[in-house]
Amino acid sequence: MTKINITDMLTSYNKKNLTICTVCSHSSLQIFNGARKEGFKTLGISVGEKKKYYDAFPLGRPDEFFIVDNYKDILKCTDELREKNVIVIPHGSFVEYLGADRFLTLDLPTFGNRDVLKWESDRFMERIWLEGAGLTMPQEIKKPEDIDRPVIVKYYGAKGGKGFFIAKTYDEFKKRIQKDKKYVIQEFVMGTRYYLHYFYSPIQNNAYKLSKGSLQLISMDRRDETTIDEVQRLGSIAELEELGIHPTFVVTGNIPIVMRESLLPKVFEMGAAVIEKSINLFNGIIGSFCLETVVTEDLEFKVFEISARIVAGTNPYIAGSPYSELIQPNLSTGRRIAQEIKYANKKNMLNKILT
Ligand code: ATP
């Protein structure tokens, strides 16, 4: 999809009546709440049936539900959705369950640069981007035979850590690998995890300045991952592995966190470098993104992944974070997205932030 299509599409839109739209899951309560705070109408695509729990959250509930039988059916309803002047806000579940290929063909104005998908969803391309930006990533072990330290084996695609496993030797690797899936092997980095939530505006210059536009740090979190984060309640990992019980990395929630202030300059340097490199590689990332990092005991960041859209780790901060409070009270990532759309609409620059 090219920007020309989007520009064409937007000419038929009633710009006074834009509707913020996303799929009801992941971070949608926050997205709808943020849009509502900025005065937008909201529409929630609900797969299967209207989600009952939304009734319990009137300020996070969309103004209107749009029910589809399955994710694929969204593609068939785009004419109808365009008549409602929708702007789609992608999130992790939306992209993963619709499928990246289908998401690229979604015939609706979408917040962010969709070209980022091919750089982000392929772990090889992701490494070219992040290392090209000067970031340090965990070392990759090319051949399983070369495993000489604790490693984490990851399958492709954002699965919320599902199926990942730790191996300390080639033998352990062989016992647990699912050969039919694409995987990478990374050194297991020892340290503390920080998931950094940035917002990049290519059209506003009121934050950390870049060659074009500016960067904000909205919040950060740590994921709560089962069973790795609680496994020690039952015994050491080594003891449990002897019994055939292996730790897993399935995300079950997110924990608010702040980091020592002396690390913040590096946080901004990394975010800025990732954006500048993305401008070279694919015309630039837009809006919210997250760097997933481990800080080592030498206070060095190792970045193991980027998510190029709103992440669920921003959900603890619907009413603002310790960082966003220093930008504007009550500023969530969902609200910041709505603000960007509002600003771009006012300045007639929607085609600079939608693809
Ligand atoms: P998502 O796309 O939802 O972010 P994913 O399924 O692609 O997740 P990762 O985020 O790469 O998976 O990794 C899942 C978890 O595994 C991380 O949250 C972290 O706890 C752990 N992890 C990943 N890479 C490393 C590493 N190199 N060293 C130590 N822990 C790691």
Side-chain angles (χ1 to χ4, degrees):
M1 175 163 305
T2 65
K3 292 219 170 198
I4 296 161
N5 290 346
I6 289 299
T7 309
D8 284 352
M9 233 180 255
L10 288 171
T11 52
S12 70
Y13 266 45
N14 176 355
K15 309 271 177 16
K16 293 207 176 80
N17 206 15
L18 295 179
T19 298
I20 299 294
C21 163
T22 196
V23 168
C24 295
S25 70
H26 188 271
S27 44
S28 60
L29 288 166
Q30 183 196 158
I31 292 170
F32 297 135
N33 176 261
R36 180 184 286 269
K37 281 177 179 153
E38 293 300 317
F40 283 103
K41 282 206 323 199
T42 51
L43 182 136
I45 301 176
S46 196
V47 179
E49 56 182 1
K50 198 180 93 184
K51 306 273 180 290
K52 199 170 168 204
Y53 68 89
Y54 275 76
D55 293 340
F57 300 117
L59 300 181
R61 193 179 190 275
D63 297 316
E64 190 186 340
F65 283 100
F66 189 91
I67 313 290
V68 290
D69 287 339
N70 54 55
Y71 276 91
K72 264 190 276 173
D73 282 357
I74 300 172
L75 297 177
K76 296 185 200 149
C77 305
T78 51
D79 289 346
E80 205 181 327
L81 288 168
R82 276 202 304 276
E83 277 164 25
K84 294 175 187 289
N85 304 301
V86 302
I87 292 183
V88 166
I89 314 299
H91 54 59
S93 305
F94 195 161
V95 176
E96 181 64 19
Y97 297 134
L98 182 61
D101 290 347
R102 288 197 200 97
F103 183 75
L104 285 171
T105 67
L106 187 67
D107 214 3
L108 294 171
T110 298
F111 181 66
N113 182 355
R114 283 189 249 192
D115 287 345
V116 71
L117 265 170
K118 67 170 182 290
W119 289 90
E120 175 206 22
S121 55
D122 178 319
R123 291 195 190 270
F124 175 71
M125 304 272 281
E126 182 185 47
R127 191 170 275 270
I128 292 177
W129 174 14
L130 299 183
E131 290 190 336
L135 271 48
T136 310
M137 294 190 75
Q139 201 185 324
E140 192 178 321
I141 285 98
K142 292 265 165 22
K143 288 193 261 157
E145 297 83 340
D146 294 342
I147 294 174
D148 59 356
R149 70 194 97 165
V151 297
I152 177 163
V153 182
K154 305 181 183 187
Y155 298 106
Y156 274 44
K159 299 273 184 278
K162 200 156 191 295
F164 292 11
F165 65 93
I166 298 171
K168 291 177 283 319
T169 60
Y170 179 45
D171 272 352
E172 280 182 14
F173 170 88
K174 276 194 295 191
K175 274 190 202 130
R176 305 220 33 221
I177 191 70
Q178 291 174 262
K179 291 212 183 83
D180 52 327
K181 291 191 183 161
K182 254 181 131 179
Y183 64 85
V184 289
I185 307 172
Q186 279 181 1
E187 68 170 308
F188 189 93
V189 182
M190 292 293 290
T192 41
R193 289 167 298 129
Y194 293 85
Y195 300 72
L196 311 171
H197 317 143
Y198 298 91
F199 191 94
Y200 168 56
S201 169
I203 55 174
Q204 296 195 64
N205 284 314
N206 53 1
Y208 188 94
K209 305 256 180 322
L210 302 183
S211 64
K212 179 180 144 201
S214 61
L215 174 67
Q216 291 170 322
L217 175 71
I218 306 284
S219 49
M220 55 184 78
D221 78 300
R222 175 165 303 158
R223 289 186 183 166
D224 214 4
E225 293 173 326
T226 192
T227 54
I228 183 84
D229 290 344
E230 298 271 5
V231 78
Q232 75 289 348
R233 297 177 93 189
L234 206 58
S236 73
I237 292 183
E239 276 169 349
L240 293 169
E241 290 207 318
E242 270 183 28
L243 299 171
I245 301 170
H246 305 286
T248 53
F249 292 84
V250 178
V251 183
T252 54
N254 303 86
I255 305 167
I257 203 162
V258 290
M259 85 182 9
R260 43 194 289 182
E261 189 168 329
S262 59
L263 292 172
L264 289 181
K266 184 71 189 164
V267 167
F268 277 96
E269 279 164 32
M270 292 191 305
V274 164
I275 294 160
E276 299 290 5
K277 189 71 194 172
S278 76
I279 294 173
N280 289 156
L281 292 174
F282 55 87
N283 227 357
I285 192 170
I286 296 167
S288 25
F289 67 98
C290 172
L291 290 181
E292 304 179 15
T293 73
V294 178
V295 180
T296 66
E297 60 189 342
D298 302 320
L299 300 181
E300 280 168 7
F301 283 87
K302 298 221 177 167
V303 179
F304 56 87
E305 173 137 307
I306 182 165
S307 293
R309 62 197 58 75
I310 185 170
V311 289
T314 59
N315 284 333
Y317 304 114
I318 288 182
S321 81
Y323 298 105
S324 72
E325 188 67 15
L326 305 173
I327 304 171
Q328 178 189 343
N330 257 310
L331 181 68
S332 65
T333 292
R335 184 174 187 184
R336 182 64 190 83
I337 292 170
Q339 286 180 344
E340 190 74 353
I341 293 169
K342 196 164 150 182
Y343 178 86
N345 192 22
K346 195 164 130 207
K347 301 278 175 190
N348 215 6
M349 291 199 285
L350 278 173
N351 64 347
K352 303 251 185 283
I353 58 160
L354 308 176
T355 56

